[in-house]
Amino acid sequence: MNIESEVKKRRTFAIISHPDAGKTTLTEQILKASGYIRVAGMVRAKKSGKFTISDWMDIEKERGISVSSSAIRVEYGGRVINILDTPGHEDFSEDTLRTLLAADFAVMVIDSSKGVETQTIKLFEVCSIRGIPIITFMNKLDLPSKDFLELIDEINKVLGIQAACYNYPSGSGVDFVGVYNDFNENLSQEIKDLFELTDKPNIEKFLKGEQTLIFWGSAIKNIGVQELFQFLINSELFPQPQKLIIDGKETLINPFHSEFVGFVFKIQSNIDKNYRSRTVFAKILSGKLDRQESYFVPRKQQFIKASRLYSMFGQRMETLDVSFAGDVIGLSSGDDIKLGDVITDTRKDIKYPGFPTFAPQVFALISAPSPSSRKAFDKAIQFYTDESLIQSFVDIETGQTVFGAVGKLQFDVVEARMQKEFNIQIKIEYLPFKHSVFCSLNQDLSKINLPSGCKIFRGKDRYVIAFIEAWQERYFKSNNPIKTEALILT
């Protein structure tokens, strides 16, 4: 197979949004447009019994929220489409940001009744820093919405990017009758006026990240989705060169290059309920991987067979014979692969730069009341820390194991999954710390001025200093000449 022709067939994008903007519903409608499902599920479809492909965990079905990113691969019209559905809630922002590293472009979903929201801004900034082209789907026009020009102005001013409409809406709420795509139609004066007042799509600007293309519609009513889908598969949005550190030097790697290189952006345990196993999610950056071959992990200086190579469809995995740059793949793995690892078919020292780890904002003690469940409990904790669902530390004073997370919902997920996956009822005791920073293990902390009640915990690769109040963090930083960080990029 010709690598370049195969890579140009790939379309890999993340769908991002503030919670409840309709991100997962849009994902389902795209799957319906591709012919892979007959009926689009809804995140809150418990009564109907119809659930979404991407929200497959029991806790997601029960609570009606996305708590983990998922990958879905479909083929349509000669294209191979990799969809990355991300959690909208800020408690899972670390998972979302890591998943964005695997995206070649993003679809940003905005609730037209609310406009640009807090999490939208944060996710947009990440995409902007990485230079990821952004398509906007202005959703929920079947409900009363903000004024058309007000929404355009918000994107221009709040996000700081030029907004260009790819189609135009007619009305909103009960007056919403659809969208216009063909500007040669007999348009109303209202639509003609909107057309004259807004910027026009410029693909060159869009690909440079200087312009976002707006598609208007309603995911739940499946209006405007087909137009978006056709743009996704017909535009030249195939993978682009990526920066890596190769033998200590920053290098731009071409996706058409024959050398296979990929990186691990996610680990998920127990996808198959019948087996307690780990699935590694990797994005291929160049070349191809054949399941008859082996791949090299530079960090481990070890070759691993690729015989268990999968395409992902939410919870379902199907064996792949070969995959190419642009693909998101699943690999069954023991504990020999970690988040951020590079996998390749050479022995070069290759690193993926800028892999994020956030300092926790919630800390807790976790215990299993029954001594008989200790072995299973330890295995579950290992799974969840490998996924980075929670982080594990040791109190340097007491030797007690302490767990940290970006948000409390992550502990709720641990509790629910421990019950479902291991049949263990755990006890979670929350600690008073609400802020923290990382610092290097090389730092001498013996003479630091630590505010009363604060704690130092030691992790595998770094210390974390935990504070009860925000002022304590400010006091610590101003009175101690050591380098601290709330976000580590490795």
Side-chain angles (χ1 to χ4, degrees):
M1 296 180 184
N2 180 276
I3 292 177
E4 182 172 346
S5 64
E6 287 294 329
V7 172
K8 286 186 174 181
K9 295 177 183 178
R10 268 60 188 174
R11 302 290 182 271
T12 302
F13 61 94
I15 302 187
I16 60 174
S17 77
H18 192 87
D20 295 326
K23 169 184 55 61
T24 301
T25 303
L26 178 61
T27 302
E28 294 286 302
Q29 293 291 14
I30 290 173
L31 292 177
K32 184 181 176 184
S34 71
Y36 272 72
I37 60 174
R38 290 185 180 180
V39 180
M42 288 178 58
V43 183
R44 294 183 173 82
K46 286 197 290 185
K47 291 183 179 179
S48 68
K50 293 182 289 189
F51 296 103
T52 62
I53 301 297
S54 54
D55 290 339
W56 54 268
M57 288 188 187
D58 289 327
I59 189 172
E60 292 176 310
K61 296 175 182 178
E62 291 164 2
R63 297 200 180 191
I65 60 171
S66 300
V67 303
S68 178
S69 58
S70 61
I72 303 169
R73 171 185 165 126
V74 298
E75 297 183 20
Y76 181 89
R79 302 287 192 235
V80 178
I81 305 163
N82 295 280
I83 305 171
L84 301 167
D85 187 21
T86 63
H89 199 286
E90 64 180 352
D91 284 10
F92 306 102
S93 55
E94 191 172 61
D95 184 22
T96 297
L97 296 189
R98 288 172 176 171
T99 301
L100 277 171
L101 297 177
D104 294 316
F105 61 100
V107 176
M108 177 174 66
V109 185
I110 294 178
D111 182 338
S112 60
S113 69
K114 298 175 181 177
V116 177
E117 298 178 86
T118 308
Q119 191 70 353
T120 314
I121 297 170
K122 292 178 182 178
L123 295 172
F124 172 84
E125 288 173 347
V126 173
C127 292
S128 182
I129 289 170
R130 291 200 60 236
I132 300 175
I134 300 173
I135 297 165
T136 299
F137 186 78
M138 196 65 71
N139 194 24
K140 299 190 180 182
L141 286 173
D142 57 303
L143 302 175
S145 304
K146 286 188 173 182
D147 178 73
F148 173 91
L149 292 177
E150 182 182 356
L151 290 166
I152 295 290
D153 194 53
E154 275 191 33
I155 292 175
N156 286 331
K157 292 181 178 178
V158 178
L159 298 182
I161 189 171
Q162 187 182 79
C165 295
Y166 210 83
N167 61 10
Y168 288 79
S170 180
S172 68
V174 294
D175 297 323
F176 180 54
V177 295
V179 295
Y180 288 93
N181 307 290
D182 184 357
F183 296 105
N184 294 317
E185 293 181 36
N186 184 20
L187 302 178
S188 67
Q189 189 59 47
E190 177 192 11
I191 301 298
K192 289 178 181 178
D193 291 342
L194 294 179
F195 181 77
E196 293 300 324
L197 287 169
T198 56
D199 290 303
K200 306 304 175 285
N202 183 310
I203 298 301
E204 186 176 340
K205 282 186 174 183
F206 163 70
L207 292 174
K208 288 181 179 179
E210 298 172 358
Q211 184 185 81
T212 180
L213 304 180
I214 303 181
F215 289 77
W216 301 78
S218 166
I220 197 169
K221 298 293 186 182
N222 200 20
I223 297 174
V225 177
Q226 189 63 43
E227 293 81 3
L228 171 64
F229 180 66
Q230 289 300 319
F231 178 83
L232 295 177
I233 63 174
N234 291 326
S235 298
E236 299 294 298
L237 294 171
F238 52 81
Q240 298 298 307
Q242 296 282 322
K243 289 181 182 179
L244 296 173
I245 307 298
I246 301 179
D247 295 330
K249 297 179 180 179
E250 187 177 275
T251 305
L252 202 61
I253 186 167
N254 193 311
F256 306 144
H257 197 274
S258 60
E259 189 175 281
F260 162 68
V261 179
F263 80 100
V264 176
F265 68 90
K266 181 179 176 65
I267 294 174
Q268 183 69 55
S269 306
N270 306 324
I271 291 180
D272 186 334
K273 295 180 181 179
N274 297 316
Y275 301 96
R276 289 179 181 172
S277 60
R278 300 161 80 250
T279 301
V280 167
F281 288 68
K283 166 72 179 297
I284 300 182
L285 301 177
S286 73
K288 68 181 180 71
L289 177 63
D290 190 299
R291 75 183 185 95
Q292 303 299 325
E293 300 170 351
S294 296
Y295 55 88
F296 184 68
V297 184
R299 179 185 59 82
K300 293 279 288 184
Q301 290 292 296
Q302 177 182 344
F303 276 97
I304 301 174
K305 290 183 178 180
S307 55
R308 290 180 290 178
L309 172 65
Y310 303 106
S311 65
M312 309 302 299
F313 192 77
Q315 187 178 16
R316 195 173 79 219
M317 300 187 292
E318 295 182 356
T319 299
L320 268 178
D321 290 324
V322 64
S323 54
F324 294 86
D327 280 335
V328 170
I329 58 172
L331 294 162
S332 288
S333 162
D335 59 1
D336 42 15
I337 298 182
K338 303 295 184 185
L339 283 168
D341 271 349
V342 166
I343 55 178
T344 179
D345 59 3
T346 77
R347 285 185 171 271
K348 294 178 182 177
D349 180 21
I350 306 177
K351 294 182 174 66
Y352 187 90
F355 200 79
T357 301
F358 287 84
Q361 303 300 301
V362 182
F363 292 84
L365 307 176
I366 305 177
S367 59
S370 171
S372 62
S373 63
R374 185 70 203 187
K375 186 175 180 180
F377 172 82
D378 289 344
K379 184 170 186 175
I381 290 296
Q382 184 66 55
F383 276 151
Y384 303 150
T385 52
D386 283 351
E387 294 178 19
S388 199
L389 176 59
I390 51 174
Q391 299 177 51
S392 176
F393 306 98
V394 174
D395 188 322
I396 63 171
E397 291 182 354
T398 66
Q400 194 171 27
T401 299
V402 176
F403 298 95
V406 174
K408 183 179 178 296
L409 271 176
Q410 289 174 277
F411 284 104
D412 291 347
V413 172
V414 168
E415 184 175 22
R417 288 183 59 186
M418 192 81 78
Q419 177 66 49
K420 292 285 185 179
E421 297 171 3
F422 292 89
N423 196 29
I424 299 174
Q425 189 70 46
I426 60 173
K427 178 183 178 182
I428 299 178
E429 181 183 343
Y430 290 99
L431 302 177
F433 311 110
K434 299 175 184 176
H435 310 271
S436 75
V437 291
F438 290 128
C439 70
S440 169
L441 292 178
N442 297 324
Q443 298 277 5
D444 180 9
L445 303 184
S446 61
K447 298 180 181 179
I448 63 169
N449 187 356
L450 191 67
S452 176
C454 300
K455 283 275 192 177
I456 300 174
F457 304 128
R458 181 185 177 117
K460 183 179 179 181
D461 303 310
R462 59 190 70 92
Y463 290 114
V464 63
I465 303 169
F467 310 97
I468 299 172
E469 303 292 346
W471 70 264
Q472 294 176 321
E473 180 181 345
R474 294 193 296 270
Y475 174 88
F476 178 86
K477 288 179 178 179
S478 62
N479 286 275
N480 294 281
I482 64 172
K483 182 180 179 183
T484 61
E485 296 174 293
L487 170 66
I488 296 288
L489 298 174
T490 56

